[in-house]
Amino acid sequence: MIDFSSLNQVQQAARSMIQRDLRFLYTVIRNVDPSKSNYIPSLLPYLGVIVDGAEDWVKSVNNSCKNKLPIPQFTMDEEKFYEQIRTSVKLWQLDYNKIYDLLEQAYSESNDYFGNMCNPIAKKWHLYDIYGVDTVNGALCGNTILCKYYSPFFQYNGNNGEYIKSMTEIGGGYIALFDAVKVYQADDSLKFNMCDYGGLVKSPVGNDFSDKFVLFSILCQINFLIFCINR
């Protein structure tokens, strides 16, 4: 744990806010099973904001203080990873047409990948799933097209889970150093479920990309904030 006693009041307030954010990440780590939902990929933009922001804050403090805070520095690969996922949160700051184009690109990549995995007849009749949807207590809270956008490094044939795990180890270091290892009380009434759409289970917004899917993704994002973060 770092000795923050030399910080001024403003810096102490900032440290306290960072610690609370890191406690949130620690609570997620202790409570979320990555195999049962896409919660972690959906959370990546916020992970980037919290961890990359913590590093930026420490650099700023070290530039202005005589006593340097001994905190881990990002490797080049980690720097790239956190910059990518932190930038992805800016999707919703773009104008609608740009959001449409970016989600359409991710949707098309998913459609092409899963379409090419099936036999010609199934592909012709569109008998394959295009994307998955996460629900929490029945509320639509995420989809794999959004997850694809939030994960610029994602490869359909790659071991993305192991890559994320290796890149987020430094986040655990920040959690420990900021003494953010107390779990917030979690809502154990939340029930996570997943369902694939596009094949035998037709998408409620149609199997062709359209404005409906963009609006559906906006709804997923709003519900994710309500049900999965602000609880």
Side-chain angles (χ1 to χ4, degrees):
M1 183 175 64
I2 299 175
D3 180 9
F4 292 106
S5 60
S6 63
L7 300 181
N8 61 39
Q9 288 186 337
V10 174
Q11 292 169 334
Q12 289 285 6
R15 180 206 61 81
S16 179
M17 288 189 290
I18 293 171
Q19 184 185 52
R20 288 198 294 269
D21 287 339
L22 291 170
R23 278 188 64 193
F24 166 72
L25 293 183
Y26 182 70
T27 302
V28 169
I29 293 169
R30 293 294 301 272
N31 286 277
V32 174
D33 183 347
S35 67
K36 294 184 178 180
S37 74
N38 290 304
Y39 186 100
I40 299 300
S42 297
L43 189 70
L44 284 179
Y46 309 99
L47 172 69
V49 169
I50 293 171
V51 178
D52 196 31
E55 188 212 26
D56 288 345
W57 178 80
V58 171
K59 285 182 177 179
S60 177
V61 169
N62 283 345
N63 286 335
S64 61
C65 295
K66 181 178 180 180
N67 296 323
K68 307 301 182 184
L69 300 176
I71 200 162
Q73 298 297 312
F74 284 20
T75 65
M76 291 185 64
D77 287 342
E78 290 167 342
E79 193 76 46
K80 179 180 178 181
F81 172 81
Y82 280 96
E83 180 62 27
Q84 285 180 325
I85 61 175
R86 185 177 188 177
T87 301
S88 69
V89 79
K90 298 179 181 179
L91 171 68
W92 305 111
Q93 298 176 9
L94 303 174
D95 63 52
Y96 179 82
N97 289 335
K98 185 62 175 178
I99 294 173
Y100 184 101
D101 291 342
L102 290 170
L103 292 182
E104 182 180 32
Q105 179 182 349
Y107 189 98
S108 296
E109 291 173 0
S110 181
N111 185 35
D112 291 344
Y113 176 78
F114 291 110
N116 290 331
M117 288 183 64
C118 58
N119 62 58
I121 295 177
K123 183 175 182 179
K124 178 180 179 180
W125 292 100
H126 227 291
L127 301 177
Y128 57 90
D129 296 322
I130 303 172
Y131 65 93
V133 173
D134 285 276
T135 62
V136 177
N137 292 356
L140 303 167
C141 289
N143 65 67
T144 55
I145 304 304
L146 276 177
C147 291
K148 171 68 172 64
Y149 177 79
Y150 292 152
S151 312
F153 53 83
F154 179 85
Q155 296 179 353
Y156 282 103
N157 292 319
N159 193 339
N160 300 287
E162 284 301 314
Y163 176 73
I164 292 174
K165 181 179 178 181
S166 67
M167 289 294 103
T168 54
E169 286 180 356
I170 191 172
Y174 275 82
I175 288 171
L177 288 167
F178 275 79
D179 194 27
V181 291
K182 294 181 180 179
V183 177
Y184 286 117
Q185 182 175 356
D187 187 348
D188 58 9
S189 69
L190 298 180
K191 304 300 180 185
F192 293 85
N193 288 293
M194 294 184 289
C195 182
D196 292 330
Y197 288 104
L200 297 178
V201 182
K202 300 303 180 184
S203 169
V205 293
N207 284 347
D208 295 322
F209 187 86
S210 68
D211 292 292
K212 291 181 180 179
F213 187 86
V214 178
L215 296 176
F216 161 66
S217 295
I218 293 173
L219 174 64
C220 287
Q221 185 61 48
I222 293 172
N223 282 344
F224 182 79
L225 294 173
I226 294 173
F227 288 93
C228 301
I229 293 182
N230 191 31
R231 291 298 290 258

